[in-house]
Amino acid sequence: KIFSEGLAEMKKEEAQELANALKDSANSVYHLMENLLEWARMQRGLIEFQPVTVPLLGVIKRSVDSLYEQARHKNQTVTIEIPEEIFVNVDLTMLESTLRNLISNAIKFSYRDGQIMISARVHDGTNIETIITDQGIGMSPGLLDTLFRIDSRSGRLGTEGESSTGLGLLLCKEFIEKNGGKLSAESIEGEGSTFRFTLPLVPNTF
C-alpha cells in the first residue's frame, strides 16, 4: 500500500531503483528457500543420485547464463576457460546447484566492474578440478576455517548489500562429496577468493 500510494510522487529513476531492490530481495528469498529445500531433502535421503556423463563446459555455460542478470547488474565479466573435450560423470542436478551457488557467491562478493574466472584442469590424472576465482572482498582466516561447518555462521553481506546465509556452501560440499569429489576454498581478505572442486574424469575423453 505504501509503495502504491507513493509511486505517483516518485521520479522515474527512484521508482526503477526501488523496483530493482525489490527484485533483488525476492531473488534472495527464492534462492534461500531453494537451498533450504534441497538441504532438507539431502538430510532426509530424498535426493536420488543419478550420475550421467556430461560435457563440463556446457553445464558451466548454462549456469553462468542463468546468473547473467545478477552479473550485469554489477557490470561484472565472467570468463570461462574450459576445453570442450572435458567430460565428467556426475549427478547433473547436484552439479548445477553447486555451480549456481559458487558463481552467485563470486558475483555477490565481488565489486562492481569486477572479473570472475572459471577454469578447469586435469588433477591427479583421474579427476577434473574446476576453479572459480574472484577479485572481491575475500575472507578472513577465521571465516575461512569455519566456512563448511554446520555449527558456524558464515553468512554476511555482499559488496552491495546482498544477503547470504552460508547454507549454499554446505549444500555444495555435500553435493560434491556425494559425487566422489572434494570442495575447498582459498582466500586473502581484501584480495578475493578461489573455490576448487574435483569430479571424476570420464576415461578416454580428455
Side-chain angles (χ1 to χ4, degrees):
K1 183 178 180 181
I2 294 175
F3 174 70
S4 61
E5 290 177 351
L7 185 60
E9 301 175 4
M10 287 184 182
K11 296 179 180 179
K12 182 179 179 180
E13 294 79 9
E14 293 175 332
Q16 184 62 54
E17 185 177 343
L18 180 56
N20 288 338
L22 290 172
K23 179 182 177 182
D24 290 342
S25 177
N27 284 337
S28 295
V29 172
Y30 172 79
H31 289 307
L32 172 60
M33 295 305 296
E34 186 178 46
N35 282 335
L36 283 171
L37 179 59
E38 289 185 320
W39 174 260
R41 293 179 63 212
M42 171 66 81
Q43 297 306 304
R44 296 176 62 189
L46 299 178
I47 295 182
E48 187 176 356
F49 182 57
Q50 297 180 316
V52 293
T53 298
V54 293
L56 182 61
L57 178 60
V59 181
I60 288 180
K61 280 185 174 180
R62 289 196 300 273
S63 298
V64 170
D65 288 344
S66 72
L67 297 166
Y68 170 78
E69 283 299 324
Q70 185 181 344
R72 187 191 67 82
H73 179 67
K74 298 175 78 170
N75 197 37
Q76 295 170 340
T77 301
V78 181
T79 302
I80 303 172
E81 292 188 356
I82 296 176
E84 295 182 359
E85 299 84 7
I86 290 181
F87 282 74
V88 291
N89 189 251
V90 66
D91 183 289
L92 189 55
T93 300
M94 294 183 185
L95 176 57
E96 289 175 338
S97 177
T98 297
L99 288 168
R100 283 196 306 271
N101 273 294
L102 295 179
I103 298 170
S104 178
N105 279 352
I107 294 170
K108 187 180 300 181
F109 297 113
S110 290
Y111 299 103
R112 182 169 292 274
D113 303 319
Q115 294 188 349
I116 296 159
M117 170 68 73
I118 306 174
S119 60
R121 64 187 180 95
V122 177
H123 181 68
D124 293 337
T126 57
N127 294 300
I128 288 295
E129 182 179 58
T130 301
I131 307 163
I132 300 174
T133 300
D134 66 62
Q135 300 171 336
I137 61 177
M139 291 177 278
S140 67
L143 177 58
L144 192 60
D145 286 344
T146 61
L147 203 57
F148 301 112
R149 284 174 43 185
I150 187 65
D151 60 343
S152 68
R153 295 176 60 87
S154 59
R156 54 182 181 154
L157 296 180
T159 57
E160 297 191 2
E162 305 99 321
S163 62
S164 173
T165 63
L167 177 62
L169 289 178
L170 297 176
L171 195 61
C172 291
K173 184 175 185 294
E174 294 220 13
F175 279 166
I176 292 301
E177 290 179 353
K178 182 74 172 177
N179 282 275
K182 294 181 179 180
L183 173 65
S184 63
E186 307 162 10
S187 187
I188 298 177
E189 195 166 14
E191 297 185 16
S193 301
T194 296
F195 283 82
R196 305 170 183 269
F197 66 85
T198 57
L199 291 170
L201 170 67
V202 176
N204 303 319
T205 59
F206 185 75

